[in-house]
Amino acid sequence: MTDTGSTRAPSPGPREAAASPHAQNPERTADPAHLPSLCVQSWYVDGLTPSGPAPFATAIPTRSLDFLEQLPQDRFSCWVRGRSGIVGFGRALRLTAQGPGRFRDLERQWDELRTRASVDDRVGLLGSGLLGFSAIAFADGSRAASVVDVPEFVLGRRDGRVWLTHIGAPEADGGRPASPEDFRLTPRPLTAPAVLSAGPGEVSPERYEEIVEQASARLRSPQAGERKVVLARDEVITTDGDIDVRTVVGRLNSAFPSTWTFNVAGLVGATPELLIGVEDGAVHSRVLAGTYRVLEDPSAELAAARAQLSGHKDSIEHSYAIDSLAATLGSVTAELHVDREPHLLQLANVIHLASDAHGRLRTEDDGSALSPFRVAEAVHPTAAVGGAPRDRAFELITELEDMDRGRYAGPVGWVDGYGNGQFGIALRCGQLEERNRIRIFAGAGIMPDSDPASEREETDAKFAPMRAALGVERSGPGAER
């Protein structure tokens, strides 16, 4: 099994069809006014037994491929980094919210759900107990729903231990205590349907270069109120048969073990950028800004990357991201340390400037720590995916992109019943629209001296991970990105 990195609908948005199987039990959307009282049990399943421990038919898988083959083709959620992770099966219920108040609405619903839950957690590791997987829309005005999906079962691996969680109705409501025998995995071979088409979405490459030119001209104006803006474009990929999400997740996790691979509400990807991680009142974050495109071998190109990324454009762009993170995360922390000097984050086909931050969250009046939803709301969107200043950049994105990003570039991750959670920024990802169609996204930070062709090429490099995982590109540095 692949081990959590730290580790959890109303009218559908443009990136999630109402009848899509990837919506995962669309009929189980919770009524915010009548949330159920859940019964939650977590127990270890990696003890020494004569036969394979449930839910595995034989031994606990030691290879990622063996574990992936035991997942359902699309009815699962996951948050995985390297060989640590949490994987949810089925859906007990879904919490939804939209609009400017979506973070607070989800927080309120989740707080009520965890307050009402009866929890028997015999594991006590990060990610055990009550858990939900969440994906939140990028923009206030997005038509896409922000969600928390609460699975029926969760398999987790952390610190070398493997556990199983069951989330369901209490006995009084017709439920019964769960046991390992309630949940069995059946291996099914992975599939990789042929790609029928892959082409521009709402923002074509040509249109993208046009809006980059418009944005950089605006930023050069003496009257400009913006210093940086992040513009994105999309592509639509259609396959000859159902997209096997297991295959996509497996390829991403294998190629990029240092990133956070996710599948939440049909949003599939592998992000190198952790928006916020909250554990026992501590918070940490990683911001990326400044990109070098790898030509052949990232290890052999570190010197070239260092030379480019130390230049004016990339260093200024990264300084905006650091300043933005320090200001927004500082508003919810009692103490905070932000790396002022970035380091190089080396991936297969890009190298980024990266800075980390860590601190202690401030407490509410009742002494409780702020929730992951509240912290994510304060930090989103960072200058790395929106721009600087934040509000002005948002306006420019709306004006020039003319595209609903849906959940792309929004927070994606998990929350638990103890006030912990992780939200990455939904990058290097796509939203499933039908069983055989997915819309993928990529963006670039635009500065006054940006070259439109170079910025379009940067988005090509950032498309490469999803293109390769879906079978569009299987050769060259982008194929193993």
Side-chain angles (χ1 to χ4, degrees):
M1 175 179 176
T2 58
D3 197 10
T4 56
S6 198
T7 350
R8 331 235 23 326
S11 299
R15 308 294 177 242
E16 184 174 12
S20 169
H22 303 291
Q24 303 180 20
N25 297 346
E27 74 281 1
R28 298 297 298 277
T29 299
D31 179 354
H34 300 91
L35 294 175
S37 299
L38 298 175
C39 182
V40 183
Q41 296 172 288
S42 295
W43 60 89
Y44 286 114
V45 294
D46 56 1
L48 296 175
T49 58
S51 59
F56 304 104
T58 56
I60 294 177
T62 57
R63 299 189 310 155
S64 297
L65 176 62
D66 294 335
F67 177 69
L68 288 167
E69 288 182 338
Q70 299 191 56
L71 299 181
Q73 188 174 30
D74 59 5
R75 289 172 55 83
F76 71 94
S77 304
C78 72
W79 178 262
V80 174
R81 191 183 192 200
R83 294 186 58 80
S84 297
I86 43 177
V87 180
F89 300 83
R91 198 172 83 202
L93 57 88
R94 165 175 284 185
L95 309 178
T96 66
Q98 284 183 284
R102 62 197 182 283
F103 288 91
R104 301 296 177 96
D105 287 347
L106 290 177
E107 177 190 47
R108 177 185 54 78
Q109 294 178 64
W110 182 253
D111 280 349
E112 181 177 346
L113 197 67
R114 69 188 186 116
T115 299
R116 296 168 62 93
S118 172
V119 181
D120 176 14
D121 184 358
R122 309 169 199 174
V123 175
L125 292 176
L126 195 64
S128 65
L130 178 63
L131 185 138
F133 294 90
S134 183
I136 300 176
F138 173 79
D140 292 350
S142 176
R143 293 173 306 221
S146 299
V147 304
V148 176
D149 281 344
V150 182
E152 294 176 320
F153 286 92
V154 180
L155 263 174
R157 176 168 175 165
R158 177 174 169 78
D159 298 336
R161 299 304 306 270
V162 180
W163 72 88
L164 181 65
T165 297
H166 174 258
I167 304 173
E171 292 183 77
D173 293 340
R176 63 181 177 82
S179 74
E181 299 305 321
D182 291 330
F183 179 56
R184 304 292 291 185
L185 295 175
T186 303
R188 297 178 181 85
L190 302 184
T191 62
V195 173
L196 292 179
S197 64
E202 296 180 23
V203 181
S204 69
E206 296 77 18
R207 175 59 183 158
Y208 187 75
E209 291 193 20
E210 291 175 2
I211 64 176
V212 168
E213 177 57 43
Q214 293 173 31
S216 59
R218 170 84 71 89
L219 297 175
R220 289 193 299 270
S221 169
Q223 291 77 38
E226 309 88 4
R227 300 191 302 272
K228 171 193 173 181
V229 64
V230 179
L231 296 177
R233 65 185 180 98
D234 59 333
E235 291 186 347
V236 177
I237 296 171
T238 304
T239 59
D240 183 17
D242 294 357
I243 294 172
D244 192 334
V245 180
R246 303 171 304 166
T247 300
V248 178
V249 166
R251 287 173 175 172
L252 291 171
N253 177 251
S254 175
F256 312 104
S258 65
T259 66
W260 290 267
T261 304
F262 57 87
N263 175 36
V264 181
L267 184 70
V268 186
T271 180
E273 194 156 355
L274 184 67
L275 182 67
I276 57 108
V278 174
E279 181 177 359
D280 297 332
V283 62
H284 59 282
S285 178
R286 168 170 289 177
V287 64
L288 308 179
T291 303
Y292 170 86
R293 297 187 300 277
V294 171
L295 300 177
E296 294 183 3
D297 180 0
S299 297
E301 297 175 41
L302 285 175
R306 194 170 285 111
Q308 176 196 302
L309 295 175
S310 63
H312 178 76
K313 174 185 179 295
D314 290 288
S315 59
I316 291 296
E317 181 181 351
H318 192 77
S319 72
Y320 291 158
I322 293 175
D323 292 343
S324 169
L325 180 64
T328 55
L329 199 54
S331 70
V332 294
T333 52
E335 57 184 73
L336 178 66
H337 172 78
V338 181
D339 293 343
R340 302 308 303 184
E341 292 297 326
H343 62 274
L344 294 183
L345 179 65
Q346 177 184 331
L347 299 172
N349 75 332
V350 292
I351 298 172
H352 291 294
L353 283 177
S355 290
D356 294 322
H358 58 86
R360 298 291 304 180
L361 293 174
R362 63 175 175 83
T363 57
E364 301 276 30
D365 293 339
D366 61 2
S368 62
L370 296 176
S371 76
F373 293 109
R374 191 74 62 89
V375 181
E377 179 186 35
V379 177
H380 172 77
T382 68
V385 294
R390 181 157 62 173
D391 291 343
R392 295 294 298 267
F394 233 123
E395 293 173 3
L396 194 54
I397 290 170
T398 302
E399 174 188 337
L400 295 179
E401 271 188 6
D402 195 26
M403 172 182 71
D404 188 343
R405 292 186 179 186
R407 301 175 186 129
Y408 163 70
V412 60
W414 62 271
V415 291
D416 71 10
Y418 305 111
N420 304 313
Q422 284 189 323
F423 280 108
I425 300 177
L427 304 173
R428 318 298 194 265
C429 66
Q431 180 72 56
L432 289 156
E433 297 184 323
E434 299 290 347
R435 296 186 73 98
N436 70 331
R437 187 176 75 235
I438 187 170
R439 187 178 299 270
I440 64 176
F441 300 86
I446 310 306
M447 299 288 287
D449 55 350
S450 286
D451 172 65
S454 295
E455 301 298 352
R456 192 262 306 155
E457 290 170 358
E458 181 174 322
T459 61
D460 280 329
K462 291 175 178 177
F463 274 132
M466 288 299 296
R467 286 172 174 166
L470 290 160
V472 178
E473 298 174 355
R474 300 304 300 164
S475 62
E480 296 307 319
R481 161 79 172 94

